[in-house]
């Protein structure tokens, strides 16, 4: 994918460079495919993963929630990708110590995966 360079840089722990690549890829994908495309959601998810790894919980949460919204609208609210985003949201809430919101997000992911996998 267009974000592959970002993935490699992230693996090399070159996080700032990886984010630049992810943001560049995101802008290109959004321009080419529109803001409500599954590839845009995947791009948000990639940025969320990097922000999570860097301890930037608020940025990660926003990115994962954006991805979940797009996946739900384009692939369906019961699609496994939507479930994965809810799971990631749960991880962020857990890292912030908000176990109530974490459980809610994990329950959403679990219900989606149970119904579809």
């Amino acid at each position: 994918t267009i974000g592959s360079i970002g993935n490699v840089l992230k693996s090399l722990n070159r996080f700032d460079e990886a984010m630049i690549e992810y943001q560049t890829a995101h802008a290109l994908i959004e321009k080419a495919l529109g803001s409500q495309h599954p590839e845009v959601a995947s791009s948000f998810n990639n940025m969320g993963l990097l922000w999570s790894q860097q301890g930037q919980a608020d940025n990660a949460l926003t990115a994962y929630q954006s991805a979940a919204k797009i996946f739900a609208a384009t692939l369906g609210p019961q699609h496994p990708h939507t479930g994965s985003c809810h799971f990631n949201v749960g991880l962020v809430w857990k890292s912030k110590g908000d176990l109530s919101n974490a459980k809610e997000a994990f329950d959403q992911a679990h219900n989606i995966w149970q119904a579809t996998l």
Side-chain angles (χ1 to χ4, degrees), residues 12-33:
L12 295 170
N13 295 324
R14 293 166 55 182
F15 300 130
D16 292 338
E17 293 171 82
M19 184 53 72
I20 290 168
E21 290 297 327
Y22 284 151
Q23 289 172 332
T24 300
H26 181 84
L28 291 171
I29 293 165
E30 193 171 52
K31 183 178 179 182
L33 302 174

Side-chain angles (χ1 to χ4, degrees), residues 55-82:
Q56 296 182 36
D58 292 334
N59 288 338
L61 186 61
T62 299
Y64 290 143
Q65 289 171 330
S66 296
K69 182 178 177 184
I70 295 169
F71 279 137
T74 58
L75 301 179
Q78 296 299 312
H79 192 278
H81 289 347
T82 306

Side-chain angles (χ1 to χ4, degrees), residues 75-93:
L75 301 179
Q78 296 299 312
H79 192 278
H81 289 347
T82 306
S84 293
C85 290
H86 288 299
F87 181 81
N88 290 341
V89 165
L91 291 173
V92 173
W93 283 123

